[in-house]
Amino acid sequence: MINEELQAYLAGKFSNAEVKPGKQYLEILVQAADLHETAVQLKGVPELSFDYLICLTGVDYPESMQIVYHLESVKHRHMVVLKVNTADRVDPKVDTVSDVWQTAKYHEREVYDLLGVKFNHHTDLRRLFLDDDYGFPLRKDFKDEVRIVER
Amino acid sequence: MSETKEIIITSDKIHTDEYLVNMGPQHPSTHGVLRLLVRLEGEMVHNIQPHVGYIHSGIEKMCEAISYPQVIHLTDRMDYLSAHMNNEAVALCIENALQVEVPERVKYIRTIMDELSRLASHQLWWCVMGMDLGALTTFFYGLRDREHILDIFEETCGARMTLNYSVPGGVMFDIHPNFQKRVKEFIKEFRKKLPEYDQLLTGNVIFQERTNDIGYLSLEDAIAWGVTGPSGRGSGFSCDVRKHQPYSAYPLVQFEEKLATKGDTFTRYRLRMEEMYESLHIIEQLIDNIPEGDYAVKMKGVVKLPEGEFYQRVETARGEFGVYIVSDGKKNPYRVKFRSPGFSNLFALNKMAAGHKIADLVAIMSTLDLVIPDIDR
Amino acid sequence: MNALFQYISTVFKGVGTLLTGMKITGKYVFTPWNNVTQQYPENRDTLKMFDRFRGEVIMTHNENNEHLCTGCGICEINCPNGSIEIISKMELTEEGKKKRAIDQHIYHLGMCTLCNLCIKACPTGAIVMGQNFEHAVWDRSKLTKVLNQPGSKIAQGVKE
Amino acid sequence: MGFNIYDFSGMTHNMHLWFLERMSPTATTIVEWTIIGVSYMLFVALFGLFLVYAERKVCAAFQQRLGPMRVGYWGLLQTIADFIKLLMKELIMPKSADKFLYNLAPFIVMIATFLAMAVLPFAKGLQTLDFDIGIFYVTAVSSVGVIGILIAGWSSNNKYSLIGAMRSGAQILSYELSVSLSLVTIIILAGSMQLSVVVESQRDAWFIFKGHIPALIAFVIFLIAGTAETNRGPFDLAEAESELTAGFHTEYSGIKFAFFFLAEYINMFIVAAMATTVFLGGWMPLHFGSFESFNVVMDFIPPLVWFFMKVLGVIFLIMWFKWTFPRLRVDQILTLEWKYLLPINLINILLMSLVVLTKFHL
């Protein structure tokens, strides 16, 4: 499906979500509550079949944490960017998608490690790179007097 | 020894308790500081849990404090074997965001450099693969041939591994006058050496026995775990970004995306070997036709990206590399995320190696071609 | 019988592949003049690095002990690691006007990643990459260098 | 004391008489034991050092390198420097290791090596023990070393060591069979297990030429199995650097490690010496039936030189294996033995018996 068709299809499919063409790829912004269901649909519906999760990451915006999923369909070769904003910035919580795409298991651990986003129902949510008592370094308000030199 | 003490004998088989072995962080075959917590029963591997982060250097955080052209030199330090591809990914991402069209010459140079890096990386992978399986001589043969590529890099870019050659809008320097001659000499020589690689290792009956029919990865698993590069293509996962979202001069050249369906260790090995021939083929098409022109477009002194999010995928030697830049319009990026191929590939290891022997674990790990800074970033 | 034949052919094929491998290594062991080892400290005199090799940042001086650096600080801004510090001073020009000039161009080699961004940014071409690669020192403080030579001054006609 | 480089039996006999003239028979025996013991120790130390140097140079040549070049002329003193380093190194022992066994293991390995060396005929008359059952004795004592390896692996309380030791146990026990059977093939041909007789009966032609194809097959099998028995690549599973870091000697340092290291090289020498003695005519010069002039020239070269030339040739071959092939997996190593080497060996013995029965050999 080319982008316009895909956009129309997605807009019809996910009425609660906001579908808009981004700078490069189509973007869907979903409510945090709908995330898991949307993920299942994106992978499961044969016309979409977004089975390859390229990249999962989080961005610390001033109001909320945003989790960004770059998805591709191996069969149809179309791409979409799924986004979800957490309700709370300080103690963000999102449903896990690691049961939909297995690779998300470790990508989510990375996001938890660096941004402190907790993924509900994640089977093994531990820190990946850093010590347990280290802060969440990719947050904008992270301070480390010893290791980070401000210029 | 306490974990191995208890032996329970049942009627049909002797059952020994499982025990844990830490492979790494300092272990010869983890190629760096990767720690695998391996659950073994005798020689059999039951479960592998990778522990990463020993050389996590916080490159993503560092990127938030420096300007866009400066980000590129940090990407050298992630996957140091495909440094140029990483550089190019960031450069392409910035160019896309700024809507800058680079000259044809730059595209050609970048593509040749990409393929040379890929060759160098695969050569190192080949020799390390042999070393992991106990054939130490391959290590030196691979390094011997890789030296020629590194010399080419050094002559043109000024460095052997941390190239920092792509800059936003082009490349750092024009190619050296000797560049074309040297690349052609190298191709001629390496085409003679590649069959030797096959005779020494690929055809060897011990090597075949060691790699055939172990470490199966199905297509579904490859996609679900995001295993890309030759490792994913060995399972039939068509994931070559050069084909699907071509960049630089890749739309202009003829090449094949090598695919296989068997998905075992030998298939992954064979695909990488074939990719070397393919890379030589790509370079041969481009090296004589580098168009004249500028080697970089003039960029502003301070590069500022428009507000928004940009994603660029490239194919490195290990698989798909992605750069995700969030810009708030300032001269520093707001957030940079590197999607590294090694990260996704590593965590499929448990899927592939569980149920095999320790020796197989080493073989499987070396066909994944892990580079630890690429995983830890 | 077929199985027996297969068994024998496996043995012969296996031994054949092993001999092929031994042929390759044997070819190299009996041609020791093709060895690739370079004996480094011995070949120091003949060892020449490539022109573009990035060994360290140096500032070129001409025979009158003059350099091209105006002390503009662009290299300092462009350095990603903060390995360059520019200490400038005010000088009186011949016309009697005050003009900024370089006092000390401090370069921390220990922090430098040799990324070439400072050299690319330098508007006057005052700093270049040197080919020296033997940087080992006994004391870390020796890695901090002052690039402009003592008593040197800016060459005539160099403008910011 | 008449000194004859072609026959040492006169010299040793004269030496014996010379001692007897001057002291009691008991004292003579003790003095002779001491001389023999010291000379064996010297030989093991010096030849071991030489083999380590040779291995490094040969390996370098295979890999298009130069190898050690810094210490001494062309790195000749490198292994001596290494040895001094190992001597001065601190002996580290894991806290929870079994102290007695941990210290005992290197000696067992070393003792097994010395035991096997006792019967090797270096030249005519230069052989310490000349048993009737020399070949049998070598195969018996050469497998004592595995006990040392097993003890080392178990007592150092390290999982890598234990895995390595277990692998080595399984491997050596299996390959012992092939070594013995391939030697049996030649025993059939020679009609004796006494090493001096075996060498003597190769005066006109070496067994590898005499025994036609069965002897050649037996030689190849002996080389493979012998390599496996010395734990060398491609059968170095017990050490398996890329899998088990260093296998059974992971926890050993200093001189104890040097013992294992030295024993490995001397074992390689023993395998090569056995191959030489049994298949390649020992210290006998190369003779071709009727080329009289050629045979005379060959006779002129002393037996000791012949012996070491052959031994070094075989050692070079074993090194060639190591630096070419990848390592086998533990199940494949057993497959190779039980499914390939053993059946081939048995058939080979049958063939050899037929050859001997029909007097087909030369």
Side-chain angles (χ1 to χ4, degrees):
Chain A
M1 275 191 271
I2 52 167
N3 263 0
E4 288 79 36
E5 276 180 60
L6 187 65
Q7 186 184 350
Y9 186 89
L10 286 170
K13 187 98 191 160
F14 306 111
S15 47
N16 277 345
E18 187 189 325
V19 183
K20 65 173 189 343
K23 283 223 160 57
Q24 285 166 301
Y25 307 113
L26 207 56
E27 289 173 7
I28 322 174
L29 183 68
V30 295
Q31 303 295 317
D34 300 340
L35 173 70
H36 191 263
E37 182 51 32
T38 313
V40 171
Q41 295 274 329
L42 281 174
K43 192 187 179 192
V45 175
E47 287 84 15
L48 301 173
S49 70
F50 286 104
D51 45 4
Y52 170 30
L53 175 68
I54 303 169
C55 177
L56 191 165
T57 187
V59 187
D60 179 15
Y61 285 114
E63 315 85 46
S64 66
M65 292 279 174
Q66 189 176 62
I67 313 296
V68 187
Y69 306 79
H70 285 80
L71 301 170
E72 191 184 30
S73 162
V74 175
K75 194 168 148 207
H76 305 298
R77 287 290 159 202
H78 47 219
M79 273 185 72
V80 76
V81 182
L82 178 66
K83 289 180 174 178
V84 60
N85 284 321
T86 59
D88 188 3
R89 191 191 150 274
V90 182
D91 185 24
K93 283 195 178 70
V94 193
D95 284 346
T96 181
V97 293
S98 57
D99 50 339
V100 185
W101 300 285
Q102 270 92 326
T103 185
K105 191 177 169 188
Y106 289 94
H107 280 93
E108 281 175 355
R109 273 180 70 181
E110 188 195 346
V111 171
Y112 167 68
D113 192 3
L114 301 177
L115 281 161
V117 182
K118 292 196 180 63
F119 290 89
N120 305 330
H121 315 303
H122 192 287
T123 49
D124 184 25
L125 194 65
R126 289 176 292 128
R127 303 201 70 151
L128 190 62
F129 297 127
L130 303 171
D131 289 344
D132 286 339
D133 53 351
Y134 204 78
F136 300 116
L138 282 183
R139 288 194 181 184
K140 290 288 169 188
D141 51 7
F142 176 77
K143 288 271 182 299
D144 188 333
E145 306 284 329
V146 184
R147 295 179 188 85
I148 295 180
V149 183
E150 295 276 339
R151 273 201 286 148
Chain B
M1 226 44 42
S2 59
E3 288 110 312
T4 52
K5 206 179 276 171
E6 200 175 323
I7 298 174
I8 308 150
I9 300 175
T10 56
S11 57
D12 55 338
K13 61 167 186 178
I14 296 173
H15 171 79
T16 48
D17 268 9
E18 289 180 335
Y19 59 104
L20 289 168
V21 168
N22 270 313
M23 272 178 97
Q26 273 82 34
H27 188 277
S29 70
T30 53
H31 307 306
V33 275
L34 169 68
R35 175 174 150 223
L36 299 175
L37 192 59
V38 187
R39 191 174 282 282
L40 291 166
E41 188 191 321
E43 287 259 342
M44 302 299 282
V45 174
H46 280 190
N47 185 294
I48 302 146
Q49 206 165 15
H51 286 246
V52 295
Y54 285 88
I55 41 172
H56 179 70
S57 46
I59 286 178
E60 288 171 12
K61 181 74 180 173
M62 275 148 82
C63 289
E64 290 175 12
I66 55 179
S67 70
Y68 289 101
Q70 291 172 351
V71 166
I72 293 175
H73 94 286
L74 288 177
T75 59
D76 286 336
R77 271 96 189 152
M78 299 192 315
D79 183 353
Y80 47 80
L81 293 179
S82 12
H84 185 261
M85 286 92 125
N86 295 357
N87 292 346
E88 190 185 1
V90 181
L92 282 171
C93 194
I94 294 168
E95 283 154 15
N96 271 355
L98 292 171
Q99 308 281 327
V100 175
E101 182 65 28
V102 295
E104 283 291 296
R105 185 177 176 83
V106 174
K107 291 183 180 174
Y108 274 66
I109 295 172
R110 279 182 180 172
T111 311
I112 293 170
M113 283 293 182
D114 271 353
E115 293 308 315
L116 283 175
S117 311
R118 197 183 313 281
L119 272 173
S121 172
H122 282 356
Q123 280 169 346
L124 189 74
W125 157 81
W126 178 78
C127 50
V128 168
M129 171 110 199
M131 196 174 70
D132 279 348
L133 295 178
L136 287 158
T137 303
T138 62
F139 186 72
F140 292 91
Y141 290 176
L143 284 186
R144 173 196 67 196
D145 298 334
R146 179 166 171 265
E147 204 69 3
H148 298 296
I149 297 185
L150 296 188
D151 277 346
I152 293 171
F153 282 162
E154 194 182 346
E155 196 172 35
T156 287
C157 318
R160 293 166 83 80
M161 290 174 79
T162 52
L163 305 177
N164 194 22
Y165 188 54
S166 271
V167 293
V171 288
M172 181 84 81
F173 315 102
D174 201 358
I175 52 172
H176 196 272
N178 287 340
F179 180 74
Q180 276 153 306
K181 193 182 90 209
R182 270 176 172 271
V183 170
K184 275 187 263 185
E185 276 170 10
F186 164 75
I187 291 175
K188 206 174 147 203
E189 202 183 311
F190 193 54
R191 278 216 184 265
K192 276 187 222 148
K193 290 279 165 59
L194 257 174
E196 270 183 19
Y197 285 22
D198 282 336
Q199 286 167 355
L200 185 59
L201 203 59
T202 319
N204 191 307
V205 65
I206 302 174
F207 181 80
Q208 298 254 355
E209 288 286 315
R210 279 293 302 274
T211 51
N212 257 322
D213 297 328
I214 60 160
Y216 278 109
L217 185 71
S218 68
L219 174 59
E220 289 72 33
D221 283 335
I223 296 173
W225 286 97
V227 179
T228 49
S231 316
R233 288 196 281 279
S235 307
F237 177 19
S238 168
C239 55
D240 198 335
V241 183
R242 294 176 292 173
K243 270 280 182 231
H244 297 304
Q245 290 190 356
Y247 52 93
S248 291
Y250 285 113
L252 309 172
V253 290
Q254 301 282 319
F255 71 101
E256 249 182 87
E257 180 186 6
K258 297 282 182 189
L259 275 179
T261 47
K262 201 178 172 196
D264 66 346
T265 304
F266 185 69
T267 314
R268 288 191 285 275
Y269 169 87
R270 196 169 48 79
L271 276 185
R272 280 210 169 80
M273 297 301 278
E274 280 172 17
E275 237 179 49
M276 283 205 239
Y277 285 103
E278 217 47 49
S279 291
L280 287 175
H281 183 55
I282 293 174
I283 299 171
E284 276 168 344
Q285 291 175 51
L286 295 173
I287 191 69
D288 281 326
N289 314 320
I290 301 176
E292 293 297 318
D294 290 335
Y295 62 87
V297 288
K298 191 87 187 125
M299 300 285 280
K300 283 205 199 90
V302 179
V303 180
K304 280 183 184 169
L305 258 60
E307 243 174 90
E309 293 151 27
F310 308 96
Y311 190 80
Q312 176 66 43
R313 313 160 71 185
V314 297
E315 180 79 12
T316 70
R318 254 144 229 91
E320 180 179 335
F321 179 81
V323 186
Y324 177 63
I325 296 181
V326 181
S327 164
D328 58 351
K330 299 209 182 74
K331 71 183 174 71
N332 302 339
Y334 185 76
R335 167 93 169 90
V336 179
K337 154 85 184 171
F338 298 110
R339 188 265 185 217
S340 57
F343 186 82
S344 299
N345 290 5
L346 167 69
F347 293 109
L349 184 63
N350 188 26
K351 195 89 199 161
M352 295 150 96
H356 291 299
K357 299 197 170 54
I358 306 173
D360 294 336
L361 169 63
V362 172
I364 293 165
M365 203 155 58
S366 54
T367 48
L368 282 179
D369 195 9
L370 301 172
V371 167
I372 310 304
D374 182 37
I375 298 164
D376 281 359
R377 281 159 291 144
Chain C
M1 204 60 209
N2 201 14
L4 184 69
F5 182 73
Q6 222 168 21
Y7 177 87
I8 294 168
S9 75
T10 327
V11 171
F12 275 97
K13 258 188 213 150
V15 174
T17 59
L18 295 181
L19 290 179
T20 325
M22 285 175 72
K23 199 182 80 193
I24 299 291
T25 44
K27 190 179 94 187
Y28 288 115
V29 78
F30 292 118
T31 51
W33 50 89
N34 288 335
N35 283 355
V36 289
T37 308
Q38 291 184 13
Q39 294 215 279
Y40 159 56
E42 284 88 348
N43 70 356
R44 228 188 209 150
D45 300 333
T46 53
L47 186 71
K48 195 180 171 307
M49 304 308 287
F50 292 108
D51 298 339
R52 291 181 185 175
F53 176 71
R54 305 205 286 258
E56 59 177 341
V57 176
I58 51 172
M59 190 180 281
T60 48
H61 290 73
N62 64 7
E63 63 277 9
N64 301 330
N65 204 9
E66 289 173 337
H67 57 73
L68 300 172
C69 181
T70 59
C72 61
I74 288 177
C75 50
E76 190 180 2
I77 297 165
N78 269 278
C79 181
N81 316 301
S83 49
I84 294 177
E85 280 173 59
I86 305 287
I87 298 173
S88 52
K89 61 183 177 191
M90 285 300 167
E91 252 178 15
L92 285 174
T93 53
E94 286 157 12
E95 295 96 58
K97 274 195 277 185
K98 269 192 176 176
K99 189 168 172 269
R100 196 173 58 166
I102 184 83
D103 183 24
Q104 276 185 319
H105 188 294
I106 297 172
Y107 169 55
H108 302 279
L109 178 58
M111 284 152 80
C112 183
T113 52
L114 306 168
C115 65
N116 209 39
L117 288 177
C118 52
I119 282 126
K120 204 166 167 293
C122 183
T124 56
I127 45 175
V128 290
M129 276 290 176
Q131 267 83 44
N132 179 28
F133 57 91
E134 290 161 330
H135 294 313
V137 286
W138 289 106
D139 186 357
R140 194 167 61 174
S141 62
K142 292 208 176 67
L143 289 174
T144 301
K145 299 173 180 178
V146 179
L147 292 189
N148 51 333
Q149 287 168 8
S152 65
K153 59 179 198 296
I154 186 164
Q156 289 292 313
V158 179
K159 288 205 182 68
E160 261 183 53
Chain D
M1 282 188 268
F3 184 73
N4 181 356
I5 51 167
Y6 298 101
D7 189 351
F8 288 91
S9 50
M11 184 186 88
T12 45
H13 185 67
N14 289 344
M15 255 168 89
H16 182 64
L17 292 179
W18 190 79
F19 281 126
L20 271 182
E21 275 172 27
R22 279 156 185 78
M23 51 188 92
S24 69
T26 323
T28 310
T29 316
I30 290 170
V31 167
E32 281 174 3
W33 281 357
T34 318
I35 290 173
I36 290 167
V38 168
S39 47
Y40 265 114
M41 269 187 222
L42 268 179
F43 174 77
V44 164
L46 293 178
F47 200 69
L49 287 182
F50 166 74
L51 275 184
V52 175
Y53 175 75
E55 166 101 322
R56 291 179 71 171
K57 278 290 183 194
V58 168
C59 140
F62 275 119
Q63 298 166 349
Q64 294 199 283
R65 296 185 288 122
L66 292 175
M69 291 291 279
R70 295 263 180 266
V71 191
Y73 181 72
W74 273 72
L76 271 170
L77 301 175
Q78 180 68 51
T79 43
I80 294 169
D82 285 348
F83 190 69
I84 293 170
K85 181 203 77 177
L86 282 173
L87 275 177
M88 300 207 299
K89 251 185 161 174
E90 187 189 351
L91 294 170
I92 301 165
M93 192 193 298
K95 202 177 167 191
S96 44
D98 188 326
K99 289 197 174 46
F100 176 67
L101 291 179
Y102 179 85
N103 289 321
L104 185 68
F107 295 99
I108 294 184
V109 174
M110 218 49 201
I111 287 166
T113 315
F114 275 105
L115 282 177
M117 291 223 353
V119 291
L120 293 178
F122 289 91
K124 192 175 173 70
L126 206 62
Q127 187 181 9
T128 312
L129 291 170
D130 196 11
F131 285 145
D132 291 350
I133 49 159
I135 293 177
F136 179 73
Y137 170 80
V138 169
T139 54
V141 296
S142 67
S143 49
V144 172
V146 71
I147 297 172
I149 290 176
L150 279 172
I151 290 175
W154 189 83
S155 66
S156 48
N157 193 19
N158 180 321
K159 289 162 194 164
Y160 286 128
S161 303
L162 187 66
I163 298 172
M166 287 305 166
R167 282 178 175 189
S168 150
Q171 177 189 334
I172 293 182
L173 288 183
S174 318
Y175 277 84
E176 196 62 31
L177 207 63
S178 273
V179 170
S180 320
L181 285 178
S182 54
L183 291 175
V184 164
T185 320
I186 295 303
I187 293 169
I188 294 170
L189 189 61
S192 170
M193 286 209 269
Q194 196 170 358
L195 282 166
S196 57
V197 176
V198 169
V199 174
E200 205 56 50
S201 58
Q202 300 181 65
R203 183 166 287 281
D204 43 349
W206 303 352
F207 278 149
I208 196 164
F209 303 130
K210 231 180 188 177
H212 303 294
I213 291 168
L216 193 67
I217 293 173
F219 179 64
V220 171
I221 288 173
F222 181 82
L223 266 189
I224 295 172
T227 317
E229 232 192 310
T230 50
N231 278 331
R232 277 183 64 83
F235 304 99
D236 55 347
L237 291 167
E239 283 150 47
E241 179 217 328
S242 63
E243 294 152 27
L244 306 178
T245 58
F248 64 90
H249 58 65
T250 307
E251 297 290 356
Y252 283 89
S253 67
I255 192 68
K256 288 183 201 160
F257 165 73
F259 270 19
F260 283 116
F261 200 60
L262 209 58
E264 187 193 315
Y265 281 93
I266 297 299
N267 278 333
M268 182 167 74
F269 164 73
I270 291 167
V271 166
M274 278 308 283
T276 306
T277 313
V278 176
F279 293 96
L280 303 177
W283 40 264
M284 284 291 172
L286 180 64
H287 279 185
F288 282 117
S290 52
F291 293 105
E292 279 307 325
S293 51
F294 177 79
N295 291 350
V296 168
V297 173
M298 290 291 119
D299 279 337
F300 188 69
I301 301 171
L304 216 52
V305 175
W306 269 111
F307 180 77
F308 278 101
M309 259 165 58
K310 289 174 193 172
V311 166
L312 290 179
V314 175
I315 286 176
F316 179 76
L317 209 57
I318 294 176
M319 284 178 181
W320 197 342
F321 292 156
K322 169 156 183 172
W323 296 112
T324 306
F325 302 138
R327 184 184 303 121
L328 280 97
R329 203 168 58 205
V330 65
D331 58 325
Q332 287 160 359
I333 228 164
L334 299 180
T335 310
L336 175 68
E337 164 64 21
W338 296 101
K339 280 171 83 173
Y340 292 96
L341 294 188
L342 186 65
I344 293 174
N345 231 330
L346 291 172
I347 293 170
N348 198 31
I349 289 176
L350 208 65
L351 276 177
M352 185 54 104
S353 316
L354 282 176
V355 166
V356 174
L357 280 176
T358 53
K359 300 258 188 285
F360 188 53
H361 61 95
L362 299 167

